[in-house]
């Protein structure tokens, strides 16, 4: 008899422990199913949001959600410093041949020395590696302190390469005045900017490069007199 009672008590407790509890409902759909308002009066305040935090949302999908509470990573909603990067350098830098057979050479700016904002580990000799999938705004600029004649860089281009394929490019800005067949003047280039928007997956790369086709080594050295700015910012998923 005692064994039967013991088995009955254990079985009853097991059913209670694993039962679904409903408040204001006789047909609970979860471990705790509340059909009504929920108030929480005291919560801990945090000064900022990081990837260690998550958000709770209510899933109203009629077929699968049934008002269940679910969590999402804060990275989906927050596109702050974790997805913003800025590098800059004035002079004393060079170009590295990409070896792609089309005269593209990447700038040798590196995260450890040239990062102004963001994670230095994401930028290595002109190559940025995305940590999260999303749509990114990209800005790439050359500023020449004393100007470089268009005769030197005429037809040459700034380029943004996605996974080593040209995503966007722009010819160096400049103006040349020509009367009939006589070259009147070549105005110096002061600044050239390339802005673009690109969709990236985690692990995709952006390479900031210059097309050096036809440039002599002495001409390439003139590029080292310029200031280079690189901005990358995630704008959406």
């Amino acid at each position: 008899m005692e064994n039967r009672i013991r088995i009955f008590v254990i079985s009853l407790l097991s059913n209670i422990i694993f039962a679904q509890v409903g408040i204001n409902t006789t047909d609970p759909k979860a471990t705790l199913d509340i059909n009504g308002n929920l108030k929480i009066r005291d919560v801990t305040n945090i000064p900022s949001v990081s990837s260690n935090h998550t958000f709770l949302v209510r899933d109203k999908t009629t077929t699968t959600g049934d008002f269940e509470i679910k969590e999402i990573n804060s990275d989906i909603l927050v596109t702050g410093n974790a997805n913003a990067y800025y590098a800059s350098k004035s002079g004393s830098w060079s170009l590295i041949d990409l070896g792609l057979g089309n005269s593209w050479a990447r700038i040798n700016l590196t995260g450890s020395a040239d990062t102004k904002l963001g994670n230095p580990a994401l930028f290595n000799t002109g190559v940025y590696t995305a940590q999260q999938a999303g749509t990114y705004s990209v800005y790439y600029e050359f500023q020449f302190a004393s100007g470089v004649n268009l005769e030197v860089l005429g037809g040459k281009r700034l380029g943004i390469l996605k996974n080593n394929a040209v995503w966007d490019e722009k010819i160096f800005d400049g103006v040349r005045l020509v009367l009939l067949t006589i070259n009147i003047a070549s105005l110096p280039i002061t600044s050239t900017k390339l802005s673009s928007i690109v969709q990236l997956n985690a692990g995709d790369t952006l390479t900031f490069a210059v097309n050096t086709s036809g440039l002599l080594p002495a001409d390439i050295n003139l590029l080292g007199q310029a200031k280079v700015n690189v901005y990358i910012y995630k704008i959406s998923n």
Side-chain angles (χ1 to χ4, degrees):
M1 178 63 70
E2 291 181 358
N3 288 336
R4 292 180 180 178
I5 294 175
R6 186 178 295 109
I7 293 173
F8 174 77
V9 171
I10 293 174
S11 176
L12 179 62
L13 290 175
S14 298
N15 289 333
I16 293 174
I17 291 173
F18 294 102
Q20 292 178 317
V21 177
I23 299 176
N24 284 341
T25 175
T26 57
D27 184 23
K29 304 295 185 183
T31 303
L32 177 61
D33 189 343
I34 302 174
N35 181 21
N37 297 334
L38 175 64
K39 292 183 179 181
I40 303 176
R41 300 186 182 277
D42 295 320
V43 295
T44 301
N45 183 45
I46 57 175
S48 61
V49 178
S50 72
S51 59
N52 294 323
H53 301 117
T54 59
F55 294 92
L56 297 182
V57 296
R58 189 170 64 143
D59 189 350
K60 296 178 66 176
T61 308
T62 55
T63 55
T64 59
D66 197 27
F67 302 102
E68 184 178 354
I69 299 298
K70 297 179 179 179
E71 69 172 355
I72 58 175
N73 194 293
S74 61
D75 289 341
I76 295 177
L77 301 179
V78 179
T79 57
N81 288 346
N83 299 293
Y85 183 81
Y86 165 40
S88 178
K89 190 168 188 175
S90 297
S92 300
W93 58 272
S94 61
L95 296 168
I96 303 174
D97 188 2
L98 280 171
L100 299 178
N102 52 11
S103 299
W104 284 107
R106 71 178 186 266
I107 60 177
N108 76 336
L109 273 69
T110 184
S112 59
D114 308 312
T115 296
K116 307 299 181 184
L117 173 69
N119 183 357
L122 303 183
F123 195 68
N124 184 26
T125 55
V127 180
Y128 175 83
T129 302
Q131 298 299 290
Q132 299 176 4
T135 302
Y136 288 76
S137 176
V138 185
Y139 178 85
Y140 180 25
E141 179 186 22
F142 267 60
Q143 296 178 1
F144 293 98
S146 58
V148 176
N149 284 339
L150 185 61
E151 292 173 336
V152 174
L153 295 178
K156 305 306 181 288
R157 304 184 300 279
L158 294 180
I160 298 172
L161 284 63
K162 175 183 175 181
N163 298 330
N164 287 332
V166 176
W167 172 261
D168 210 345
E169 57 186 324
K170 182 180 181 181
I171 294 177
F172 276 97
D173 293 330
V175 177
R176 174 174 292 172
L177 303 180
V178 178
L179 179 60
L180 298 178
T181 58
I182 302 173
N183 184 19
I184 303 299
S186 291
L187 302 183
I189 303 169
T190 58
S191 176
T192 295
K193 307 176 184 67
L194 173 58
S195 300
S196 189
I197 294 178
V198 58
Q199 184 73 29
L200 298 174
N201 293 317
D204 283 350
T205 61
L206 291 177
T207 300
F208 296 87
V210 177
N211 184 280
T212 59
S213 176
L215 285 179
L216 299 174
D219 296 333
I220 293 177
N221 289 337
L222 291 175
L223 294 175
Q225 301 174 11
K227 178 180 180 180
V228 181
N229 295 314
V230 171
Y231 308 155
I232 305 163
Y233 189 80
K234 183 180 176 184
I235 55 178
S236 74
N237 293 307

